[in-house]
């Protein structure tokens, strides 16, 4: 029987060194793309997939991420008094249901696999989604919802995948592929950040996963992999053959907002078709294109 998926883990303990000094005194997950912080994109995406419980894996200096999901009573009262309806709606949507968000600490930056393992008590014996807030996905149906749709058919682990230029395989988890119907790909093997010459394909994992709780047993060994870190990819690889395991070519576009160029592209992509901003964005883009 396929168990319903209601939980999500969001690792947010990273130091954000690529965005210093902006992230010196604020978490990188609070950086806004247009008018919403990265963390909110991830939570909204998960909610659209029917996920109801969230675990943030945080670290030192990340408390504002928890505060962000509180109800801002004073601000709400002021906005109400001033008749600022759309601003009021925006902040009301940004809080979560009481008791639905918890945080655990990852005291040391030992890798993504270690961060996920820190959420083991929250997960217990339930399947769960993982969302890496650095990746923002622009899509019709939310990317995690697409993964959950696939999971409801196949069961087991499902990871969102996309083709990357061959020379970029050393930036991602890469699939060794079995049968492939153009959308769902059977996962035969997984390698974390392989050198292009050793990469089994150019199909890369993006920061969206549906995981079976058995991953925690593998992670608990805390074995170090690529870069000397406890890698989620290595623990997932150990599950191949034990649970169904698929890659899903999701519909949508991923922006790597952990990277400055990706972050800037996301600002354009997520504002260009907005009724309130699109016109202005197109105008200034024309100006800059003319300067090239
Ligand atoms: C992590 C994962 C990698 C995945 C990537 C997606 O890498 O380890 O397998 O492809 O996220 O964004 P990181 O970006 O943390 O180096």
């Amino acid at each position: 029987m396929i168990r319903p998926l209601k939980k999500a883990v969001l690792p947010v303990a990273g130091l954000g060194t690529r965005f210093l000094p902006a992230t010196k005194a604020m978490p990188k997950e609070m950086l806004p793309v247009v008018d919403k912080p990265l963390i909110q994109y991830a939570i909204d995406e998960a909610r659209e997939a029917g996920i109801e419980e969230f675990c943030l894996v945080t670290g030192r200096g990340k408390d504002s991420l928890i505060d962000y999901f509180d109800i801002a009573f004073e601000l709400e009262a002021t906005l109400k008094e001033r008749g600022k309806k759309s601003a009021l709606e925006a902040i009301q949507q940004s809080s979560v249901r009481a008791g639905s968000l918890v945080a655990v600490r990852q005291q040391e930056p030992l890798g993504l696999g270690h961060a996920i393992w820190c959420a083991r008590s929250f997960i217990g014996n339930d399947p769960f989604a993982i969302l890496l807030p650095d990746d923002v996905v622009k899509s019709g149906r939310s990317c995690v919802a697409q993964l959950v749709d696939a999971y409801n058919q196949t069961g087991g682990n499902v990871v969102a995948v996309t083709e990357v230029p061959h020379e970029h395989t050393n930036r991602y988890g890469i699939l060794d592929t079995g049968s492939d119907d153009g959308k769902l790909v059977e996962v035969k093997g997984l390698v974390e950040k392989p050198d292009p010459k050793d990469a089994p394909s150019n199909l890369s994992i993006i920061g969206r996963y549906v995981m079976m709780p058995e991953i925690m047993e593998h992670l608990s060994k805390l074995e170090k992999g690529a870069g000397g870190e406890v890698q989620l990819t290595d623990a997932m690889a150990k599950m191949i053959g034990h649970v169904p395991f698929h890659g899903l070519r999701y519909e949508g576009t991923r922006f790597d907002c952990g990277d400055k160029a990706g972050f800037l592209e996301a600002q354009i992509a997520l504002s260009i078709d907005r009724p309130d901003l699109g016109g202005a964005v197109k105008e200034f883009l024309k100006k800059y294109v003319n300067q090239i």
Side-chain angles (χ1 to χ4, degrees), residues 16-287:
T17 44
R18 279 190 277 181
F19 281 91
L20 284 170
T23 50
K24 187 178 160 196
M26 81 190 256
K28 67 170 172 175
E29 296 80 9
M30 286 302 296
L31 292 172
V33 173
V34 191
D35 49 11
K36 266 196 327 189
L38 290 171
I39 189 71
Q40 173 97 52
Y41 284 95
I43 296 277
D44 287 350
E45 205 190 304
R47 276 177 175 154
E48 201 184 316
I51 289 168
E52 293 168 357
E53 293 177 64
F54 307 93
C55 178
L56 304 188
V57 183
T58 69
R60 260 187 295 281
K62 296 281 183 156
D63 291 352
S64 61
L65 282 167
I66 320 287
D67 295 341
Y68 175 78
F69 291 102
D70 275 347
I71 296 173
F73 289 105
E74 287 171 21
L75 185 56
E76 282 194 23
T78 310
L79 292 173
K80 232 177 253 167
E81 206 178 279
R82 295 189 184 167
K84 305 255 183 208
K85 213 167 150 246
S86 62
L88 183 64
E89 276 167 18
I91 63 158
Q92 283 171 340
Q93 276 161 17
S94 72
S95 56
V96 292
R97 220 174 121 234
S100 67
L101 184 131
V102 299
V104 296
R105 285 271 186 154
Q106 184 191 26
Q107 291 99 333
E108 292 174 280
L110 298 181
L112 177 60
H114 179 257
I116 301 302
W117 179 72
C118 289
R120 63 197 176 282
S121 301
F122 168 79
I123 293 306
N125 204 22
D126 295 322
F128 63 106
I130 301 172
L131 295 95
L132 310 185
D134 273 4
D135 279 336
V136 170
V137 186
K138 184 182 182 192
S139 57
R141 184 158 171 72
S142 107
C143 181
V144 179
Q146 295 178 44
L147 288 184
V148 173
D149 292 344
Y151 161 73
N152 285 334
Q153 289 173 8
T154 62
N157 293 347
V158 190
V159 293
V161 296
T162 190
E163 253 115 39
V164 291
H166 211 79
E167 62 274 22
H168 290 173
T169 58
N170 57 2
R171 300 182 188 178
Y172 304 102
I174 300 291
L175 264 58
D176 187 1
T177 61
S179 66
D180 184 346
D181 70 5
K183 194 172 171 202
L184 263 187
V185 190
E186 184 198 353
V187 177
K188 261 183 27 194
L190 285 169
V191 198
E192 181 65 13
K193 303 194 172 79
D195 207 84
K197 69 175 176 3
D198 306 320
S201 76
N202 67 337
L203 210 50
S204 80
I205 303 173
I206 73 154
R208 300 290 185 270
Y209 312 71
V210 165
M211 268 305 112
M212 297 305 101
E214 292 77 17
I215 188 85
M216 295 299 180
E217 287 162 34
H218 300 291
L219 290 172
S220 68
K221 308 214 165 75
L222 301 180
E223 282 167 18
K224 289 185 179 155
E229 297 191 343
V230 181
Q231 295 291 354
L232 176 63
T233 304
D234 296 343
M236 289 195 301
K238 294 201 177 109
M239 296 172 81
I240 297 168
H242 301 287
V243 296
F245 206 143
H246 295 89
L248 175 75
R249 286 193 182 86
Y250 61 95
E251 282 169 27
T253 311
R254 179 269 302 266
F255 300 97
D256 179 1
C257 293
D259 169 79
K260 283 176 201 165
F263 182 68
L264 290 174
E265 190 182 349
Q267 308 284 351
I268 307 290
L270 292 171
S271 55
I272 201 156
D273 46 16
R274 269 182 46 163
D276 58 337
L277 281 170
V281 173
K282 283 174 200 154
E283 274 312 305
F284 76 61
L285 279 179
K286 276 187 216 150
K287 190 172 88 189

